[in-house]
């Protein structure tokens, strides 16, 4: 169905400017840079956190792995010491002078021989007992013999098994005194308190920790006739720990501190160590931390990890030292200065952070460049669009790339060119229209003047031709011609009247009127006419239709013209429906005139309001009815809408505003 709407929409105002919203906007370049930076910084932060923790963990794991290996080496060295003593004792026990001394007593030669052997092999103790554990010969104190060594677990074990035994044992100070007062003196260690160390139970450690070996002495029938035992007191003897330091850590120093240290603990007391106090002395008499003690001595488990040693943090490894019965009597420790690894870690972290920062800077510069490469053309396009909107149709945007933005620039340039072309065409058309309408106005004025001038003489022609026709008798040969003159004169009069109506520029003569009554009046005027006799007229009038301020005679003309047009279209047979309604919100009333006529073609729909457009036969229509109606509705600030479907019918909808004309302008007497 084709439709056409004319005139302004009632009550509608241009709200586009009122609707303009002002909101805070962030430029696209800033948004792009911000998003890029957000991504870069977040990912870098994640990488840095992960990287730093990976590096730290790796370095710690590396250090722990190393200290574990170092502990193995330290154990080997410690065991090497034990093996050496074992070998020495076994070899001495095999010497013939030893059973000889037992069987037939010893002389100074044997004694001197043993003293020399003890000194050469670095032994602190070298003692011979008979098979009842009674000391026969003591190289460390030859005068002091005859005591019983059955409490010596190694001697007891040898006598029991008849085999050599080696191990670490703890000997009380009293017993050490029997062996040698000097040894007993060396064993005494003053306890020193250090941060994080276990609380001290006393002030000194007096027992001695001894690497000891014992071997059986046989007679010629392979009977055990005695035991030879010897050993080295570990208290304040630094040979093993220094050998560990030298072999495992190559005596390397880091920031004036030994990179690696080793210690032998008796219980929880350092009795042999190369860990140094602040004053540079060996930290003898200092004690282990509570947690390491619990793990290694109480739980009998090795400890690998970070620990506070005397006065600094070390990556440490501790493992229990057991006596021959398997009881934990001490601890072997190695540690690597943590400082070295924390420095490596710190340097790696700084390097990592530096690389990340450099990455952020480089990525930021790149993102700046990328976002500029996007935002600059966009900004150019925006300002060009503004210029275009302000009427500069010659605006041009430089194409900066061959990507989508380049395509957009091309499209913009094409659009500007097309707009310019259309603008020029429009201008040309408007110019021609203006010229034409000026010409039409002139022609219209001329036509109005001519119509006005012709009206009076034509009135005379019509009147007198009518009179002549009435007076002429039926046989008059001129009557036929007279009849034609009357018809043509009437037609001329209709054209002149139409022209006068169309050109009349007067304001509406308004009053408050009831459109329903107006419609009923129209219908009563036309329904008796022959054209309407076979037309079914249906009125559906809104009883609550408000009265409107209109020029009722002009609006009546509109309705009559539409009703007559409808009847013409139905060629006298069909249904004419008139509906009235009102819209209280939009404040207008609506009159809908529908017919079941032949309808209007789409092509003609645009022309029906043009003056002198008619499809009716000559003499039946001038083509001014709708042109005049349109002018009247426009004067009333109303609209007219046409919907038509060929062979089905046509609907004209007239809308009239309820309150367009102010009440005070209405002639009171007319209300
Ligand atoms: N209801 C309708 N159904 C079909 N065609 C219509 C209808 N109303 C108008 N028209 C078309 O619009 C044309 C113009 O109508 P308009 O009323 O302006 O002139 P007219 O009726 O031809 O002559 P007049 O000046 O006598 O009114 C008509 O000739 C007709 O073709
Ligand atoms: Mg008409």
């Amino acid at each position: 169905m084709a439709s056409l709407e004319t005139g302004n929409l009632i009550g509608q105002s241009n709200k586009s400017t009122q609707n303009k919203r002002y909101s805070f906007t962030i430029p696209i370049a800033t948004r792009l840079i911000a998003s890029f930076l957000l991504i870069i910084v977040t990912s870098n932060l994640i990488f840095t956190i992960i990287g730093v923790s990976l590096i730290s963990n790796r370095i710690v794991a590396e250090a722990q792995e190393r200290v574990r290996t170092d502990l193995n080496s330290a154990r080997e060295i410690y065991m090497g010491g034990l093996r050496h003593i074992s070998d020495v004792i076994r070899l001495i026990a095999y010497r013939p002078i030893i059973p000889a001394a037992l069987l037939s007593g010893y002389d100074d030669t044997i004694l001197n021989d043993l003293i020399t052997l003890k000194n050469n092999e670095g032994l602190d103790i070298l003692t011979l007992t008979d098979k009842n554990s009674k000391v026969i010969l003591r190289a460390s104190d030859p005068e002091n013999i005859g005591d019983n060594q059955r409490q010596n677990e190694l001697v007891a074990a040898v006598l029991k098994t008849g085999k050599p035994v080696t191990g670490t044992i703890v000997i009380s100070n009293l017993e050490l005194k029997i062996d040698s007062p000097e040894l007993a003196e060396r064993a005494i260690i003053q306890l020193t308190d250090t941060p994080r160390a276990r609380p001290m139970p006393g002030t000194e450690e007096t027992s001695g920790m001894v690497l000891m070996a014992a071997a059986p002495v046989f007679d010629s029938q392979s009977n055990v006739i005695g035991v030879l035992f010897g050993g080295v007191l570990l208290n304040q003897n630094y040979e093993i720990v220094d050998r560990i330091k030298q072999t495992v850590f190559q005596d390397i120093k880091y920031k004036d501190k030994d990179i690696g240290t080793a210690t032998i603990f008796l219980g929880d007391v350092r009795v042999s160590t190369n860990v140094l106090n602040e004053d540079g002395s060996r930290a003898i008499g200092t004690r282990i931390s509570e947690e390491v003690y619990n793990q290694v001595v109480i739980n009998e488990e090795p400890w690998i990890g970070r620990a506070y040693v005397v006065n600094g943090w070390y990556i440490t490894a501790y493992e229990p030292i057991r006596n021959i019965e398997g009881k934990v009597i001490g601890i072997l420790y190695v540690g690597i200065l943590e400082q070295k690894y924390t420095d490596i870690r710190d340097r790696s972290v700084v390097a990592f952070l530096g690389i990340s920062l450099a990455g952020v800077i480089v990525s930021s510069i790149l993102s700046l460049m990328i976002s500029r490469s996007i935002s600059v053309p966009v900004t150019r396009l925006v300002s060009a669009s503004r210029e275009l909107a302000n009427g500069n149709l010659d605006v041009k945007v430089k194409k900066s790339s061959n990507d989508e933005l380049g395509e957009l620039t091309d499209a913009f340039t094409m659009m500007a060119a097309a707009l310019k072309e259309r603008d020029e065409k429009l201008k040309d058309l408007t110019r021609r229209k203006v010229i034409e309408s000026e010409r039409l106005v002139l022609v219209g004025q001329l036509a109005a003047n001519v119509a006005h001038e012709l009206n009076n003489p034509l009135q005379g022609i019509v009147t007198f031709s009518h009179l002549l026709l009435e007076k002429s008798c039926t046989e008059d040969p001129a009557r036929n011609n007279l009849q034609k003159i009357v018809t043509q004169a009437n037609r001329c009069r209709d054209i002149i009247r139409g022209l006068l109506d169309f050109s009349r520029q007067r304001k509406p003569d308004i009053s408050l009127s009831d459109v329903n009554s107006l419609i009923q009046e129209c219908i009563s005027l036309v329904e008796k006419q022959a054209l309407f006799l076979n037309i079914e007229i249906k009125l559906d009038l809104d009883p609550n239709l408000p009265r409107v301020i209109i020029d009722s005679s002009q609006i009546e003309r509109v309705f009559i013209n539409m009703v007559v047009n409808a009847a013409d279209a139905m060629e006298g047979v069909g249904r004419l429906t008139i509906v009235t309604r009102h819209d209280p919100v939009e404040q207008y009333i609506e009159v809908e005139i529908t017919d079941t006529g032949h309808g209007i073609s789409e092509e003609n729909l645009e022309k029906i309001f043009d003056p002198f457009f008619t499809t009716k036969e000559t003499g039946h229509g001038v083509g001014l009815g709708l042109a005049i109606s349109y002018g009247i509705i426009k004067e009333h600030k109303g609209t007219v809408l046409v919907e038509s479907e060929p062979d089905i019918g046509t609907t004209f909808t007239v809308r009239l505003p309820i309150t367009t004309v102010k009440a005070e302008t209405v002639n009171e007497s007319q209300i």
Side-chain angles (χ1 to χ4, degrees):
M1 183 187 282
S3 70
L4 180 79
E5 186 161 18
T6 64
N8 289 332
L9 270 182
I10 299 161
Q12 205 183 50
S13 63
N14 188 356
K15 289 181 183 164
S16 61
T17 47
Q18 295 165 17
N19 288 343
K20 203 171 177 181
R21 285 201 189 95
Y22 295 95
S23 56
F24 176 69
T25 50
I26 304 168
I28 193 163
T30 316
R31 282 221 302 269
L32 276 172
I33 294 171
S35 348
F36 281 142
L37 282 183
L38 192 74
I39 295 167
I40 293 164
V41 170
T42 316
S43 51
N44 257 286
L45 207 69
I46 293 168
F47 287 142
T48 308
I49 291 168
I50 294 173
V52 165
S53 77
L54 278 179
I55 288 174
S56 307
N57 291 346
R58 192 61 249 154
I59 287 171
V60 170
E62 200 63 48
Q64 289 186 349
E65 196 49 47
R66 184 180 163 190
V67 85
R68 200 189 298 272
T69 324
D70 292 348
L71 184 66
N72 291 341
S73 310
R75 192 193 309 117
E76 268 313 301
I77 292 169
Y78 185 87
M79 297 308 284
L82 265 180
R83 272 197 302 274
H84 172 70
I85 294 167
S86 167
D87 291 346
V88 167
I89 296 300
R90 268 192 295 120
L91 285 175
I92 297 173
Y94 287 143
R95 285 181 162 222
I97 54 164
I98 301 300
L102 280 171
L103 294 171
S104 47
Y106 66 91
D107 54 16
D108 280 353
T109 325
I110 295 176
L111 179 64
N112 287 337
D113 204 8
L114 276 189
I115 290 171
T116 311
L117 277 169
K118 171 186 154 293
N119 292 337
N120 285 352
E121 296 302 333
L123 300 175
D124 291 320
I125 299 166
L126 185 61
T127 305
L128 179 68
T129 69
D130 62 14
K131 60 181 178 187
N132 298 316
S133 313
K134 192 178 140 200
V135 175
I136 302 296
L137 203 156
R138 178 172 269 130
S140 54
D141 191 357
E143 303 299 313
N144 188 12
I145 53 170
D147 55 295
N148 200 299
Q149 284 292 323
R150 78 173 67 86
Q151 84 292 342
N152 186 320
E153 57 222 67
L154 263 73
V155 174
V158 171
L159 287 175
K160 195 175 167 194
T161 60
K163 287 181 183 161
V165 180
T166 312
T168 311
I169 60 166
V170 177
I171 302 178
S172 71
N173 200 266
L174 219 60
E175 288 167 37
L176 275 174
K177 220 175 231 162
I178 296 167
D179 272 318
S180 149
E182 285 158 36
L183 276 188
E185 190 59 35
R186 210 179 88 201
I188 296 172
I189 288 171
Q190 299 302 319
L191 299 184
T192 315
D193 195 17
T194 53
R196 291 170 184 264
R198 290 189 75 210
M200 291 196 296
T203 56
E204 58 181 22
E205 174 64 65
T206 57
S207 302
M209 194 174 193
V210 181
L211 295 184
M212 188 168 271
V217 181
F218 300 102
D219 62 9
S220 51
Q221 277 83 42
S222 296
N223 297 316
V224 175
I225 53 169
V227 178
L228 180 73
F229 69 91
V232 175
L233 176 67
L234 291 174
N235 294 33
Q236 305 197 49
N237 176 342
Y238 309 115
E239 201 191 320
I240 291 181
V241 289
D242 284 352
R243 202 182 313 147
I244 293 172
K245 193 178 87 170
Q246 197 182 23
T247 316
V248 178
F249 305 112
Q250 278 102 43
D251 280 337
I252 296 172
K253 289 195 178 288
Y254 184 76
K255 291 188 177 170
D256 288 341
K257 271 185 155 183
D258 283 321
I259 193 120
T261 53
T263 299
I264 296 168
F265 289 85
L266 166 55
D268 61 351
V269 179
R270 284 186 180 81
V271 293
S272 176
T273 183
N274 40 42
V275 175
L276 301 180
N277 289 317
E278 293 290 359
D279 60 6
S281 61
R282 293 186 191 250
I284 293 296
T286 55
R287 295 153 64 81
I288 205 166
S289 69
E290 184 85 51
E291 49 186 345
V292 179
Y293 179 81
N294 288 341
Q295 166 110 344
V296 183
V297 178
I298 310 289
N299 298 336
E300 303 189 3
E301 296 276 338
W303 166 288
I304 308 274
R306 208 171 165 248
Y308 195 80
V309 177
V310 183
N311 51 23
W313 285 99
Y314 283 77
I315 311 288
T316 61
Y318 295 81
E319 72 172 21
I321 297 174
R322 299 168 192 274
N323 63 11
I324 56 164
E325 282 147 12
K327 190 174 158 242
V328 177
I329 53 167
I331 301 168
L332 179 64
Y333 146 93
V334 286
I336 314 168
L337 206 58
E338 192 194 48
Q339 179 81 47
K340 184 188 167 188
Y341 288 94
T342 47
D343 285 354
I344 293 174
R345 187 198 60 199
D346 292 350
R347 277 200 299 276
S348 310
V349 167
V350 167
F352 201 84
L353 287 176
I355 292 165
S356 296
L357 195 70
V360 167
I361 292 169
V362 171
S363 323
S364 305
I365 293 169
L366 282 176
S367 71
L368 196 77
M369 282 161 67
I370 294 169
S371 59
R372 271 187 64 79
S373 75
I374 296 170
S375 70
V376 167
V378 170
T379 317
R380 266 197 225 130
L381 274 170
V382 168
S383 64
S385 307
R386 281 213 189 96
E387 274 194 51
L388 194 72
N390 289 336
N392 179 7
L393 300 181
D394 290 319
V395 64
K396 285 201 170 49
V397 189
K398 212 178 113 203
K399 188 176 172 181
S400 53
S401 58
N402 282 326
D403 52 13
E404 289 91 332
L405 280 170
E407 281 176 29
L408 190 63
T409 311
D410 280 346
F412 180 86
T413 312
M414 273 163 62
M415 183 183 78
L419 271 176
K420 193 178 172 193
E421 196 184 316
R422 222 181 69 176
D423 187 63
E424 275 164 7
K425 273 188 191 160
L426 249 170
K427 273 185 190 156
D428 192 45
L429 191 76
T430 317
R431 202 171 47 244
R432 277 195 278 125
K433 281 258 181 205
V434 168
I435 294 169
E436 200 177 326
S437 61
E438 278 171 356
R439 195 160 46 85
L440 272 176
V441 167
L442 279 177
V443 172
Q445 279 172 357
L446 185 72
N449 285 341
V450 170
H452 184 75
E453 290 305 319
L454 282 180
N455 194 32
N456 289 339
L458 194 64
Q459 205 59 47
I461 292 169
V462 170
T463 315
F464 289 114
S465 59
H466 265 280
L467 277 175
L468 276 176
L469 188 67
E470 275 169 23
K471 284 189 179 155
S472 69
C473 57
T474 42
E475 289 86 33
D476 190 344
R479 188 178 169 84
N480 206 12
N481 293 340
L482 220 47
Q483 181 68 52
K484 282 181 185 157
I485 291 171
V486 167
T487 313
Q488 295 305 325
N490 277 343
R491 190 162 168 245
C492 288
R493 184 197 57 196
D494 288 347
I495 293 171
I496 293 294
R497 270 188 196 161
L499 266 177
L500 283 173
D501 279 341
F502 182 66
S503 61
R504 201 175 286 146
Q505 300 284 318
R506 66 178 180 88
K507 284 267 165 223
D509 185 7
I510 52 171
S511 64
L512 199 60
S513 314
D514 178 12
V515 172
N516 281 347
S517 332
L518 209 62
I519 287 166
Q520 273 157 345
E521 217 171 279
C522 288
I523 297 302
S524 63
L525 277 176
V526 295
E527 67 186 349
K528 296 286 179 288
Q529 290 179 18
L531 188 60
F532 285 84
L533 288 180
N534 291 321
I535 289 176
E536 180 196 343
I537 299 174
K538 201 175 155 225
L539 297 184
D540 181 3
L541 307 178
D542 180 357
N544 298 320
L545 198 73
R547 295 199 297 166
V548 284
I549 299 164
I550 50 170
D551 182 330
S552 53
S553 66
Q554 283 194 355
I555 294 295
E556 191 181 50
R557 281 196 67 180
V558 172
F559 294 150
I560 287 181
N561 181 49
M562 287 181 179
V563 165
V564 171
N565 279 351
D568 282 343
M570 293 187 281
E571 289 167 4
V573 184
R575 190 169 65 247
L576 176 72
T577 312
I578 302 179
V579 180
T580 61
R581 60 175 82 89
H582 87 285
D583 186 329
V585 181
E586 294 284 333
Q587 286 283 294
Y588 61 79
I589 66 158
E590 199 170 74
V591 179
E592 203 177 81
I593 301 168
T594 307
D595 63 60
T596 55
H598 54 61
I600 308 165
S601 69
E602 205 170 329
E603 180 199 348
N604 285 347
L605 205 62
E606 290 173 7
K607 301 178 196 160
I608 56 170
F609 292 100
D610 292 349
F612 299 109
F613 174 79
T614 182
T615 55
K616 294 171 188 171
E617 289 168 16
T618 318
H620 284 89
V622 181
L624 284 172
L626 283 180
I628 293 167
S629 302
Y630 177 70
I632 292 170
I633 293 164
K634 229 172 109 184
E635 275 299 326
H636 283 77
K637 309 261 186 286
T639 60
V640 54
L641 168 79
V642 195
E643 288 171 296
S644 184
E645 212 169 331
D647 297 330
I648 302 287
T650 306
T651 298
F652 278 83
T653 308
V654 176
R655 277 185 190 175
L656 293 169
I658 297 174
T659 53
T660 319
V661 183
K662 283 185 184 163
E664 59 265 27
T665 62
V666 181
N667 188 344
E668 286 296 330
S669 62
Q670 290 173 315
I671 298 176

